[in-house]
PDB file of all heavy atoms in Angstrom:
ATOM      1  N   VAL A   1       1.102   3.488   0.814  1.00 96.00           N
ATOM      2  CA  VAL A   1       1.217   2.055   1.086  1.00 96.00           C
ATOM      3  C   VAL A   1       2.154   1.896   2.282  1.00 96.00           C
ATOM      4  O   VAL A   1       3.341   2.191   2.175  1.00 96.00           O
ATOM      5  CB  VAL A   1       1.774   1.282  -0.121  1.00 96.00           C
ATOM      6  CG1 VAL A   1       1.852  -0.209   0.194  1.00 96.00           C
ATOM      7  CG2 VAL A   1       0.921   1.506  -1.364  1.00 96.00           C
ATOM      8  N   PRO A   2       1.610   1.467   3.434  1.00 94.00           N
ATOM      9  CA  PRO A   2       0.237   0.977   3.656  1.00 94.00           C
ATOM     10  C   PRO A   2      -0.794   2.101   3.620  1.00 94.00           C
ATOM     11  O   PRO A   2      -0.479   3.268   3.827  1.00 94.00           O
ATOM     12  CB  PRO A   2       0.327   0.334   5.043  1.00 94.00           C
ATOM     13  CG  PRO A   2       1.448   1.056   5.723  1.00 94.00           C
ATOM     14  CD  PRO A   2       2.450   1.364   4.651  1.00 94.00           C
ATOM     15  N   LEU A   3      -2.046   1.695   3.348  1.00 88.00           N
ATOM     16  CA  LEU A   3      -3.137   2.661   3.257  1.00 88.00           C
ATOM     17  C   LEU A   3      -3.509   3.238   4.613  1.00 88.00           C
ATOM     18  O   LEU A   3      -4.001   4.361   4.698  1.00 88.00           O
ATOM     19  CB  LEU A   3      -4.365   1.998   2.621  1.00 88.00           C
ATOM     20  CG  LEU A   3      -4.249   1.699   1.127  1.00 88.00           C
ATOM     21  CD1 LEU A   3      -5.434   0.874   0.652  1.00 88.00           C
ATOM     22  CD2 LEU A   3      -4.155   2.981   0.321  1.00 88.00           C
ATOM     23  N   SER A   4      -3.300   2.480   5.652  1.00 79.00           N
ATOM     24  CA  SER A   4      -3.603   2.957   6.999  1.00 79.00           C
ATOM     25  C   SER A   4      -2.335   2.963   7.844  1.00 79.00           C
ATOM     26  O   SER A   4      -1.676   1.927   7.992  1.00 79.00           O
ATOM     27  CB  SER A   4      -4.651   2.072   7.671  1.00 79.00           C
ATOM     28  OG  SER A   4      -4.840   2.464   9.017  1.00 79.00           O
ATOM     29  N   PRO A   5      -1.975   4.116   8.423  1.00 74.00           N
ATOM     30  CA  PRO A   5      -0.746   4.172   9.225  1.00 74.00           C
ATOM     31  C   PRO A   5      -0.845   3.418  10.545  1.00 74.00           C
ATOM     32  O   PRO A   5       0.181   3.155  11.176  1.00 74.00           O
ATOM     33  CB  PRO A   5      -0.567   5.675   9.466  1.00 74.00           C
ATOM     34  CG  PRO A   5      -1.950   6.240   9.369  1.00 74.00           C
ATOM     35  CD  PRO A   5      -2.649   5.415   8.332  1.00 74.00           C
ATOM     36  N   ILE A   6      -2.044   3.070  10.972  1.00 69.00           N
ATOM     37  CA  ILE A   6      -2.192   2.383  12.252  1.00 69.00           C
ATOM     38  C   ILE A   6      -2.302   0.866  12.090  1.00 69.00           C
ATOM     39  O   ILE A   6      -2.419   0.149  13.081  1.00 69.00           O
ATOM     40  CB  ILE A   6      -3.420   2.899  13.030  1.00 69.00           C
ATOM     41  CG1 ILE A   6      -4.712   2.632  12.245  1.00 69.00           C
ATOM     42  CG2 ILE A   6      -3.275   4.387  13.341  1.00 69.00           C
ATOM     43  CD1 ILE A   6      -5.967   2.981  13.030  1.00 69.00           C
ATOM     44  N   SER A   7      -2.264   0.388  10.865  1.00 77.00           N
ATOM     45  CA  SER A   7      -2.331  -1.062  10.653  1.00 77.00           C
ATOM     46  C   SER A   7      -0.955  -1.687  10.883  1.00 77.00           C
ATOM     47  O   SER A   7       0.061  -1.003  10.952  1.00 77.00           O
ATOM     48  CB  SER A   7      -2.809  -1.370   9.235  1.00 77.00           C
ATOM     49  OG  SER A   7      -1.766  -1.119   8.300  1.00 77.00           O
ATOM     50  N   ASN A   8      -0.938  -3.002  10.975  1.00 86.00           N
ATOM     51  CA  ASN A   8       0.320  -3.724  11.112  1.00 86.00           C
ATOM     52  C   ASN A   8       0.878  -4.162   9.759  1.00 86.00           C
ATOM     53  O   ASN A   8       1.882  -4.881   9.700  1.00 86.00           O
ATOM     54  CB  ASN A   8       0.125  -4.953  12.001  1.00 86.00           C
ATOM     55  CG  ASN A   8      -0.204  -4.575  13.432  1.00 86.00           C
ATOM     56  OD1 ASN A   8       0.362  -3.626  13.970  1.00 86.00           O
ATOM     57  ND2 ASN A   8      -1.117  -5.318  14.040  1.00 86.00           N
ATOM     58  N   LEU A   9       0.231  -3.728   8.672  1.00 91.00           N
ATOM     59  CA  LEU A   9       0.655  -4.127   7.341  1.00 91.00           C
ATOM     60  C   LEU A   9       1.831  -3.282   6.871  1.00 91.00           C
ATOM     61  O   LEU A   9       2.000  -2.132   7.278  1.00 91.00           O
ATOM     62  CB  LEU A   9      -0.505  -3.993   6.357  1.00 91.00           C
ATOM     63  CG  LEU A   9      -1.741  -4.843   6.662  1.00 91.00           C
ATOM     64  CD1 LEU A   9      -2.840  -4.568   5.654  1.00 91.00           C
ATOM     65  CD2 LEU A   9      -1.395  -6.335   6.673  1.00 91.00           C
ATOM     66  N   VAL A  10       2.623  -3.876   5.980  1.00 95.00           N
ATOM     67  CA  VAL A  10       3.760  -3.184   5.383  1.00 95.00           C
ATOM     68  C   VAL A  10       3.645  -3.269   3.864  1.00 95.00           C
ATOM     69  O   VAL A  10       2.707  -3.878   3.321  1.00 95.00           O
ATOM     70  CB  VAL A  10       5.096  -3.789   5.867  1.00 95.00           C
ATOM     71  CG1 VAL A  10       5.260  -3.585   7.366  1.00 95.00           C
ATOM     72  CG2 VAL A  10       5.178  -5.280   5.525  1.00 95.00           C
ATOM     73  N   PHE A  11       4.589  -2.668   3.176  1.00 96.00           N
ATOM     74  CA  PHE A  11       4.523  -2.540   1.724  1.00 96.00           C
ATOM     75  C   PHE A  11       4.301  -3.884   1.034  1.00 96.00           C
ATOM     76  O   PHE A  11       3.479  -4.004   0.112  1.00 96.00           O
ATOM     77  CB  PHE A  11       5.822  -1.889   1.226  1.00 96.00           C
ATOM     78  CG  PHE A  11       5.774  -1.407  -0.196  1.00 96.00           C
ATOM     79  CD1 PHE A  11       5.300  -0.144  -0.508  1.00 96.00           C
ATOM     80  CD2 PHE A  11       6.235  -2.216  -1.227  1.00 96.00           C
ATOM     81  CE1 PHE A  11       5.272   0.308  -1.823  1.00 96.00           C
ATOM     82  CE2 PHE A  11       6.209  -1.775  -2.544  1.00 96.00           C
ATOM     83  CZ  PHE A  11       5.727  -0.505  -2.846  1.00 96.00           C
ATOM     84  N   LYS A  12       5.011  -4.911   1.481  1.00 96.00           N
ATOM     85  CA  LYS A  12       4.932  -6.214   0.817  1.00 96.00           C
ATOM     86  C   LYS A  12       3.616  -6.934   1.066  1.00 96.00           C
ATOM     87  O   LYS A  12       3.380  -8.000   0.476  1.00 96.00           O
ATOM     88  CB  LYS A  12       6.099  -7.090   1.232  1.00 96.00           C
ATOM     89  CG  LYS A  12       6.080  -7.506   2.699  1.00 96.00           C
ATOM     90  CD  LYS A  12       7.282  -8.378   3.031  1.00 96.00           C
ATOM     91  CE  LYS A  12       7.252  -8.819   4.494  1.00 96.00           C
ATOM     92  NZ  LYS A  12       8.417  -9.668   4.836  1.00 96.00           N
ATOM     93  N   ASP A  13       2.750  -6.369   1.911  1.00 96.00           N
ATOM     94  CA  ASP A  13       1.431  -6.952   2.144  1.00 96.00           C
ATOM     95  C   ASP A  13       0.395  -6.441   1.161  1.00 96.00           C
ATOM     96  O   ASP A  13      -0.802  -6.708   1.308  1.00 96.00           O
ATOM     97  CB  ASP A  13       0.965  -6.651   3.571  1.00 96.00           C
ATOM     98  CG  ASP A  13       1.824  -7.340   4.617  1.00 96.00           C
ATOM     99  OD1 ASP A  13       2.240  -8.487   4.365  1.00 96.00           O
ATOM    100  OD2 ASP A  13       2.082  -6.740   5.677  1.00 96.00           O
ATOM    101  N   TYR A  14       0.833  -5.725   0.141  1.00 97.00           N
ATOM    102  CA  TYR A  14      -0.068  -5.174  -0.873  1.00 97.00           C
ATOM    103  C   TYR A  14       0.265  -5.752  -2.235  1.00 97.00           C
ATOM    104  O   TYR A  14       1.383  -6.225  -2.487  1.00 97.00           O
ATOM    105  CB  TYR A  14       0.049  -3.645  -0.905  1.00 97.00           C
ATOM    106  CG  TYR A  14      -0.592  -2.989   0.298  1.00 97.00           C
ATOM    107  CD1 TYR A  14       0.056  -2.984   1.532  1.00 97.00           C
ATOM    108  CD2 TYR A  14      -1.852  -2.409   0.217  1.00 97.00           C
ATOM    109  CE1 TYR A  14      -0.533  -2.415   2.650  1.00 97.00           C
ATOM    110  CE2 TYR A  14      -2.445  -1.829   1.326  1.00 97.00           C
ATOM    111  CZ  TYR A  14      -1.784  -1.843   2.534  1.00 97.00           C
ATOM    112  OH  TYR A  14      -2.376  -1.282   3.632  1.00 97.00           O
ATOM    113  N   TYR A  15      -0.716  -5.689  -3.123  1.00 97.00           N
ATOM    114  CA  TYR A  15      -0.508  -6.177  -4.485  1.00 97.00           C
ATOM    115  C   TYR A  15      -1.413  -5.417  -5.446  1.00 97.00           C
ATOM    116  O   TYR A  15      -2.377  -4.749  -5.045  1.00 97.00           O
ATOM    117  CB  TYR A  15      -0.781  -7.683  -4.571  1.00 97.00           C
ATOM    118  CG  TYR A  15      -2.206  -8.110  -4.283  1.00 97.00           C
ATOM    119  CD1 TYR A  15      -3.128  -8.289  -5.319  1.00 97.00           C
ATOM    120  CD2 TYR A  15      -2.643  -8.353  -2.982  1.00 97.00           C
ATOM    121  CE1 TYR A  15      -4.441  -8.693  -5.059  1.00 97.00           C
ATOM    122  CE2 TYR A  15      -3.933  -8.757  -2.710  1.00 97.00           C
ATOM    123  CZ  TYR A  15      -4.832  -8.913  -3.756  1.00 97.00           C
ATOM    124  OH  TYR A  15      -6.129  -9.298  -3.485  1.00 97.00           O
ATOM    125  N   LEU A  16      -1.078  -5.495  -6.723  1.00 98.00           N
ATOM    126  CA  LEU A  16      -1.919  -4.962  -7.787  1.00 98.00           C
ATOM    127  C   LEU A  16      -2.635  -6.116  -8.456  1.00 98.00           C
ATOM    128  O   LEU A  16      -2.021  -7.134  -8.801  1.00 98.00           O
ATOM    129  CB  LEU A  16      -1.077  -4.210  -8.826  1.00 98.00           C
ATOM    130  CG  LEU A  16      -0.367  -2.948  -8.343  1.00 98.00           C
ATOM    131  CD1 LEU A  16       0.494  -2.375  -9.460  1.00 98.00           C
ATOM    132  CD2 LEU A  16      -1.363  -1.907  -7.854  1.00 98.00           C
ATOM    133  N   GLN A  17      -3.943  -5.963  -8.640  1.00 98.00           N
ATOM    134  CA  GLN A  17      -4.729  -6.995  -9.309  1.00 98.00           C
ATOM    135  C   GLN A  17      -5.189  -6.478 -10.667  1.00 98.00           C
ATOM    136  O   GLN A  17      -5.815  -5.419 -10.766  1.00 98.00           O
ATOM    137  CB  GLN A  17      -5.942  -7.398  -8.475  1.00 98.00           C
ATOM    138  CG  GLN A  17      -6.717  -8.559  -9.087  1.00 98.00           C
ATOM    139  CD  GLN A  17      -7.832  -9.040  -8.179  1.00 98.00           C
ATOM    140  OE1 GLN A  17      -8.631  -8.257  -7.718  1.00 98.00           O
ATOM    141  NE2 GLN A  17      -7.849 -10.341  -7.919  1.00 98.00           N
ATOM    142  N   PHE A  18      -4.866  -7.243 -11.697  1.00 98.00           N
ATOM    143  CA  PHE A  18      -5.217  -6.896 -13.065  1.00 98.00           C
ATOM    144  C   PHE A  18      -6.375  -7.763 -13.542  1.00 98.00           C
ATOM    145  O   PHE A  18      -6.845  -8.654 -12.828  1.00 98.00           O
ATOM    146  CB  PHE A  18      -4.004  -7.067 -13.981  1.00 98.00           C
ATOM    147  CG  PHE A  18      -2.904  -6.067 -13.723  1.00 98.00           C
ATOM    148  CD1 PHE A  18      -1.949  -6.308 -12.736  1.00 98.00           C
ATOM    149  CD2 PHE A  18      -2.819  -4.896 -14.456  1.00 98.00           C
ATOM    150  CE1 PHE A  18      -0.929  -5.389 -12.490  1.00 98.00           C
ATOM    151  CE2 PHE A  18      -1.802  -3.978 -14.225  1.00 98.00           C
ATOM    152  CZ  PHE A  18      -0.867  -4.222 -13.238  1.00 98.00           C
ATOM    153  N   GLN A  19      -6.803  -7.541 -14.777  1.00 96.00           N
ATOM    154  CA  GLN A  19      -7.936  -8.292 -15.331  1.00 96.00           C
ATOM    155  C   GLN A  19      -7.504  -9.584 -15.999  1.00 96.00           C
ATOM    156  O   GLN A  19      -8.323 -10.502 -16.162  1.00 96.00           O
ATOM    157  CB  GLN A  19      -8.667  -7.424 -16.361  1.00 96.00           C
ATOM    158  CG  GLN A  19      -9.361  -6.212 -15.777  1.00 96.00           C
ATOM    159  CD  GLN A  19      -9.927  -5.321 -16.873  1.00 96.00           C
ATOM    160  OE1 GLN A  19      -9.184  -4.709 -17.623  1.00 96.00           O
ATOM    161  NE2 GLN A  19     -11.240  -5.270 -16.967  1.00 96.00           N
ATOM    162  N   HIS A  20      -6.239  -9.662 -16.404  1.00 95.00           N
ATOM    163  CA  HIS A  20      -5.788 -10.789 -17.222  1.00 95.00           C
ATOM    164  C   HIS A  20      -4.559 -11.447 -16.580  1.00 95.00           C
ATOM    165  O   HIS A  20      -3.846 -10.815 -15.800  1.00 95.00           O
ATOM    166  CB  HIS A  20      -5.454 -10.304 -18.638  1.00 95.00           C
ATOM    167  CG  HIS A  20      -6.539  -9.491 -19.270  1.00 95.00           C
ATOM    168  ND1 HIS A  20      -7.788 -10.009 -19.537  1.00 95.00           N
ATOM    169  CD2 HIS A  20      -6.579  -8.181 -19.654  1.00 95.00           C
ATOM    170  CE1 HIS A  20      -8.547  -9.061 -20.078  1.00 95.00           C
ATOM    171  NE2 HIS A  20      -7.840  -7.941 -20.155  1.00 95.00           N
ATOM    172  N   PRO A  21      -4.264 -12.690 -16.925  1.00 96.00           N
ATOM    173  CA  PRO A  21      -3.136 -13.403 -16.297  1.00 96.00           C
ATOM    174  C   PRO A  21      -1.765 -12.979 -16.802  1.00 96.00           C
ATOM    175  O   PRO A  21      -0.755 -13.372 -16.224  1.00 96.00           O
ATOM    176  CB  PRO A  21      -3.418 -14.868 -16.633  1.00 96.00           C
ATOM    177  CG  PRO A  21      -4.258 -14.820 -17.866  1.00 96.00           C
ATOM    178  CD  PRO A  21      -5.102 -13.598 -17.743  1.00 96.00           C
ATOM    179  N   ALA A  22      -1.724 -12.195 -17.891  1.00 96.00           N
ATOM    180  CA  ALA A  22      -0.448 -11.725 -18.417  1.00 96.00           C
ATOM    181  C   ALA A  22      -0.625 -10.323 -18.989  1.00 96.00           C
ATOM    182  O   ALA A  22      -1.690  -9.978 -19.506  1.00 96.00           O
ATOM    183  CB  ALA A  22       0.079 -12.668 -19.504  1.00 96.00           C
ATOM    184  N   ILE A  23       0.407  -9.524 -18.871  1.00 97.00           N
ATOM    185  CA  ILE A  23       0.412  -8.178 -19.439  1.00 97.00           C
ATOM    186  C   ILE A  23       1.738  -7.973 -20.154  1.00 97.00           C
ATOM    187  O   ILE A  23       2.716  -8.664 -19.889  1.00 97.00           O
ATOM    188  CB  ILE A  23       0.211  -7.089 -18.363  1.00 97.00           C
ATOM    189  CG1 ILE A  23       1.170  -7.305 -17.189  1.00 97.00           C
ATOM    190  CG2 ILE A  23      -1.221  -7.060 -17.875  1.00 97.00           C
ATOM    191  CD1 ILE A  23       1.023  -6.282 -16.073  1.00 97.00           C
ATOM    192  N   THR A  24       1.777  -7.030 -21.079  1.00 98.00           N
ATOM    193  CA  THR A  24       2.979  -6.766 -21.862  1.00 98.00           C
ATOM    194  C   THR A  24       3.784  -5.648 -21.218  1.00 98.00           C
ATOM    195  O   THR A  24       3.256  -4.570 -20.951  1.00 98.00           O
ATOM    196  CB  THR A  24       2.607  -6.377 -23.301  1.00 98.00           C
ATOM    197  OG1 THR A  24       1.840  -7.421 -23.892  1.00 98.00           O
ATOM    198  CG2 THR A  24       3.861  -6.143 -24.129  1.00 98.00           C
TER     199      THR A  24
END
């Protein structure tokens, strides 16, 4: 993270997407 070293994205430009609105 980032997935591509040549992109202008940084760590905070990524997220994890889950299936539900809440997790334990």
